[in-house]
Structures are given as structure tokens and as C-alpha cells.
Amino acid sequence: MPERRTVALVTLGCARNEVDSEELAGRLAADGWELVEDASDADVAVVNTCGFVEAAKKDSVDALLEANDLKDHGRTQAVVAVGCMAERYGKDLAEALPEADGVLGFDDYADISDRLQTILNGGIHASHTPRDRRKLLPISPAERQDAAVALPGHAQEAAPAPAPEDLPDGVAPVSGPRAPLRRRLGTSPVASVKLASGCDRRCSFCAIPSFRGSFISRRPSDVLGETRWLAEQGVKEVMLVSENNTSYGKDLGDIRLLETLLPELADVEGIERIRVSYLQPAEMRPGLIDVLTSTPKVAPYFDLSFQHSAPGVLRAMRRFGDTDRFLELLDTIRGKAPQAGARSNFIVGFPGETEADLAELERFLTGARLDAIGVFGYSDEEGTEAVGYENKLDADVIAERLAHISQLAEELTSQRAEERLGESLQVLVESVDEEDGAVGRAAHQAPETDGQVLFTAREGLVPGRMVEAKVVGTEGVDLVAECSEVVEAAR
């Protein structure tokens, strides 16, 4: 009998990382590794790191150090870093953090089992040298589909994949040239599916394209196949994720491909809701708005990356738009779907931001009626254009503006929640327990980033059930609701 090998995956960061972790889990399970939830029960703890902003990097380092402590008083023999921070810094991270027994980049994902086995056996796998992953793909989007480049979440196989009959239960079979093995790491009725990877935009504050690469879409057949498999696993809501969903299809010859794919996904048996995340305001088009606001089972949800609304700041960010155009976009959306959800993130304290620019942002936020608002203070990200900008603001000024806009955002999103009093919503029940009662989310609420629905009673509610509920109260951005009708029976 083969020796028992156990592995735990600790995931930090965004929903894209969650998909990547489930790909790694699928590959490891297919090669005989036993997946465990608690890192202290694992021979190898794999930490999927985030490299987005300083706070996320600190969380990643803390998680690696915490996992390393288990080697002194637990089963854990090795700690391995993967993910964006590992890809972005490679050897530098390995040298700065000797507690990590391995630092693996995206190119290692196809051979993750062999890499972990080598490390577990006391061997050393050389940490990769970071490189600009944008240069790995052709400049022309139309030429990217056949490029042999590792793409987490829709990985190209380095070797023939196991036959479906050879896979353990719960592992998705490969259904196409860029469809990954996948195994779910939880029982939530919600799961993310990668629509694309990378980004072709050149925002001056963002380093993500340099370590995630240029934009490349997954083929519709792969997205559909993975969604069908997730439905078979009991998933009720699928969230489409990428760095920029509005660009989907441009490398496949059809920039409107998302408009035709969404109704097909909504028709997948067992799926009750399709949600699209991360949309670029400058790339929104009437046809996409129509599909998002009128297709049954597609959530009228708009995760719009505004970042700011003062024209001068946006141009310095290498972005487009202004307060009035953004408000017009939101008015167009709500004219088609009055209950539509809208959220966004904003950066304050960007180099050169004036008091007038901040006032313009306040004007936008006040008029936008967003359901959820994320606010970040500007900080230099190495490798970005903005690092070299002049007119940097003092840290105390940035902190003051961050506190001010954050407080305003909290007040405005609470007011927006109160506007929903009396509304009838379709709510997906996500958890039911004695301590927290029944909790779910409506169409305007994405997992993790937005508010949630708190039910006044939990009788008859089970995770995975879609119900009709009436909003009777609010707690900040959260809604309090009474269940009035079961829309779909849990399976």
C-alpha cells in the first residue's frame, strides 16, 4: 500500500486564488495525496499567497510563519509558498523567508505533486526567477490561445491527464486543452469559475499584469463544462472571475462572447444564479448591460472598477471617465433593473490628488448609491509607473483622507441598505447554525466583499436553498429579512 501523504491548502487573497487552490487540490488528489483541512494534520502545508498590496503581503508572510510553527509541535514537515506573492518575488521571497521550504511559481503547478514530494523527501526545488509574464504571450490577443504558457485556473497540461475512471471521487476531469483538474475545498453552495486570466490594461498603480500576465480567455466550452461539474457537486451559484471580465472573448474573435455565454450558463441544470465580477466601466457596452439586467438567473450585479472619479486623478492612473459619466452609467443600469447591485473600490491619496479631487470623489460617492464600497490608501507598489510620480502625499495626509472617505462610505452604504427596506429579494441560503442563525445573500451581494442577509428565523432553511424574502430591517450594510417562499428545493 502506498505511503499516506497528506496536504493542506491555506488560501489567502481573492476568489481567483480560491480557484487556483482547487486546481492544485485536484492535481494532488489525482496523484494520491490526501487533502486535510487543518495544516497541523498535514505532512505539507501549502500557502497560496496574495501579492496585491502591502497588507495582503503581510498576511501571506504571517500565514507562512504560522504554518512553519507547526513543524515544531505537529505532523507538518514542510511549508511551501505558492500563489501571487511566490510568483512575483520567487528567489527573493525564499531568501527573505527561509522558514518556507519551497517557493513555487505558476510554472510549477502542473507538476505540483512531484514538487511537494521532492521537498517532503528533503530535496530542494530551486525557487524561480521572477519575470514579467506579459512577455510570455504574443502581443496580439488573437495569437495567444495556442501559447504554451502556464495559466492557473485554466492550466495547459504538461502531460496527458488521468483518465476520468482513474480519478478519485470529487475531482473534475479535464474537459479541454486548458481545463484544469479541480477538487472543491469546501461545501459552500457558491463557487468561482475563472473566465480569463491576466490583464492588458496598464493602470499606473497596479502590478498584477506583471505577475499574472496578459489577458487570455478560457474557451466557452471549458467554462460550461466546469460549471456543469460544479452543479453536480451541489453548487447553486457560480461567480465568474478574472482580472477583467469585460474583455472576455477579445482573443477569441468576439468581444461580445460574454453576452452569449451567460444565458448558456444560466441554463445549466442545478445552477440558480450566475454572477459576474470585476467589470471595467470604460469597457461596458449596452448589450452587456442588457444581458446582465434581463437574463433569468443572471444576477443584475455590477462590480465596477471605478478607483476614483476626479478626471485628473483618473488620467494619472491611466484610466478613463469622470463623475458624471460614471453616474450616467449607473443611471442606465438602474433604469433597466432598479434593484441592481453596484459596488466598487477606490484609492485615495494618489500622487497629485488635490482637495478638489477628493471633493469630486465625495460628489460621486454621494450620488452613486453603491451597495458596497472598498477604500484603500495609496501606497507605492514596486514595478509600477506611479512609483516614479512626483507630488506624493505625506503618509498622514493619506491616512486622514482614508479615514474620512471610509467613514463616508460606511454611512452611504448603510443608507443604501435602508433604501432596500420592503424589497422582496431572492436569497441563497449559505449557512444555518444555532449561534448565527440563517445567513444568505441576495443578488446584489457577492461573497466576502459585500453585505449579507440575516434571516429572522431559521426554520425550514438549509444551505443551498433559494428563497424569496422581504427586507424588514438593516444592520449596517447587512439586511434583515423574513422568508416568505421557497423558490428552489435544496438538493
Side-chain angles (χ1 to χ4, degrees), residues 14-221:
C14 64
R16 300 185 292 275
N17 258 16
E18 293 172 7
V19 176
D20 293 350
S21 286
E22 293 198 348
E23 176 196 342
L24 294 175
R27 291 183 179 278
L28 291 166
D31 203 44
W33 289 77
E34 180 182 339
L35 296 158
V36 296
E37 285 190 32
D38 194 332
S40 63
D41 296 328
D43 296 315
V44 183
V46 177
V47 180
N48 192 347
T49 61
C50 178
F52 180 42
V53 293
E54 284 304 319
K57 295 176 200 172
K58 182 180 184 303
D59 288 344
S60 295
V61 170
D62 289 346
L64 287 163
L65 294 174
E66 183 177 340
N68 183 68
D69 289 342
L70 297 175
K71 291 191 288 187
D72 296 329
H73 48 76
R75 178 188 176 100
T76 309
Q77 301 174 51
V79 176
V80 175
V82 298
C84 291
M85 190 174 180
E87 173 64 37
R88 184 177 182 184
Y89 295 108
K91 290 181 178 180
D92 290 342
L93 177 62
E95 292 172 2
L97 200 68
E99 291 85 355
D101 299 286
V103 176
L104 306 181
F106 297 151
D107 293 334
D108 293 307
Y109 282 22
D111 301 307
I112 188 66
S113 178
D114 290 342
R115 299 287 186 265
L116 296 191
Q117 190 62 59
T118 295
I119 294 168
L120 190 59
N121 290 343
I124 297 175
H125 178 70
S127 302
H128 77 105
T129 300
R131 51 185 173 168
D132 189 336
R133 294 191 73 86
R134 290 172 292 192
K135 298 178 180 179
L136 303 182
L137 289 166
I139 294 176
S140 171
E143 298 175 2
R144 294 174 187 167
Q145 283 292 321
D146 296 326
V149 175
L151 298 167
H154 47 159
Q156 193 169 30
E157 292 298 314
E165 60 268 19
D166 296 331
L167 294 173
D169 291 341
V171 175
V174 171
S175 59
R178 291 193 184 276
L181 295 166
R182 180 171 181 174
R183 177 166 177 168
R184 299 213 66 205
L185 292 173
T187 59
S188 169
V190 184
S192 296
V193 171
K194 275 211 178 165
L195 195 61
S197 284
C199 185
D200 287 342
R201 302 184 72 87
R202 294 294 179 264
C203 300
S204 62
F205 56 84
C206 183
I208 291 175
S210 66
F211 57 84
R212 277 290 184 180
S214 297
F215 184 89
I216 183 167
S217 304
R218 290 184 70 192
R219 294 188 180 277
S221 58

Side-chain angles (χ1 to χ4, degrees), residues 312-383:
V313 176
L314 286 168
R315 302 304 175 269
M317 290 179 169
R318 297 206 177 279
R319 297 178 66 83
F320 306 94
D322 56 45
T323 295
D324 292 332
R325 275 189 275 184
F326 290 164
L327 291 176
E328 182 180 352
L329 172 60
L330 292 169
D331 285 345
T332 299
I333 291 167
R334 291 178 176 133
K336 296 177 180 293
Q339 288 187 323
R343 75 159 336 270
S344 192
N345 293 324
F346 299 88
I347 298 172
V348 297
F350 194 78
E353 181 190 65
T354 65
E355 290 286 352
D357 293 330
L358 196 68
E360 186 69 2
L361 177 58
E362 290 185 47
R363 182 169 79 89
F364 171 69
L365 292 174
T366 302
R369 296 169 54 233
L370 298 173
D371 292 280
I373 299 171
V375 187
F376 300 88
Y378 172 81
S379 62
D380 282 338
E381 278 295 309
E382 57 189 281

